[in-house]
Amino acid sequence: DAGVIQSPRHEVTEMGQEVTLRCKPISGHDYLFWYRQTMMRGLELLIYFNNNVPIDDSGMPEDRFSAKMPNASFSTLKIQPSEPRDSAVYFCASSPGPSVGNTIYFGEGSWLTVV
Amino acid sequence: AQTVTQSQPEMSVQEAETVTLSCTYDTSESDYYLFWYKQPPSRQMILVIRQEAYKQQNATENRFSVNFQKAAKSFSLKISDSQLGDAAMYFCAYRSGGMEGAQKLVFGQGTRLTINP
């Protein structure tokens, strides 16, 4: 079975540009998560969805960040405009609901560098 | 809110020896899950082992086992017969078990494990 698929794997962009990160969760999973990992702050939850509906976006840093899940098989995380402090590894993850299983599976991450 | 604490930023062990990584957590929930994830230099997050809070028996996966002390809210990971490939950052994580709880993973700060040949 395919795991969580993220793209791009690596992106280098200039400050002020728009960045879009993409994620395809594991088929049948009800939950989708976006995490960010930096040296200073560790792993932070940005937002998560249940059945395509955003449940908790309290971790989204500011209005420059937005996330969408138009259907069960696709989600995007957009940064506009990007800043050097957004440089991080962004993980997408998915899981089934609590009644089925509670393990959260991670994609390989998108390494973002903003210069 | 739930919190997870890993008090050992770094650990090292000789190859073939046994090492234990510590994790404590705080919660008022009775239904939850605990996990250990491994993150090698590639940055991929790999599930090592999971424990259901309602199970008294400690989980085991080959050379990896946990010591789950529910009353003490402690969840340590033991790696036996350490191998060079075990070198990585290890994260302890908590997730609510019921639909009422927040479904996100709460992570500890991580422990960097070095294996000495």
Side-chain angles (χ1 to χ4, degrees), chain A residues 95-108:
Chain A
S95 82
S99 61
V100 178
N102 250 289
T103 300
I104 295 179
Y105 298 89
F106 285 78
E108 294 184 318

Side-chain angles (χ1 to χ4, degrees), chain B residues 5-39:
Chain B
T5 302
Q6 294 177 248
S7 59
Q8 306 155 314
E10 296 182 350
M11 293 280 287
S12 63
V13 64
Q14 291 294 126
E15 191 176 5
E17 297 292 309
T18 295
V19 63
T20 299
L21 308 184
S22 301
C23 173
T24 59
Y25 59 95
D26 189 26
T27 184
S28 59
E29 298 176 332
S30 59
D31 184 14
Y32 54 88
Y33 295 77
L34 296 165
F35 305 86
W36 280 96
Y37 283 87
K38 169 185 176 181
Q39 188 178 44

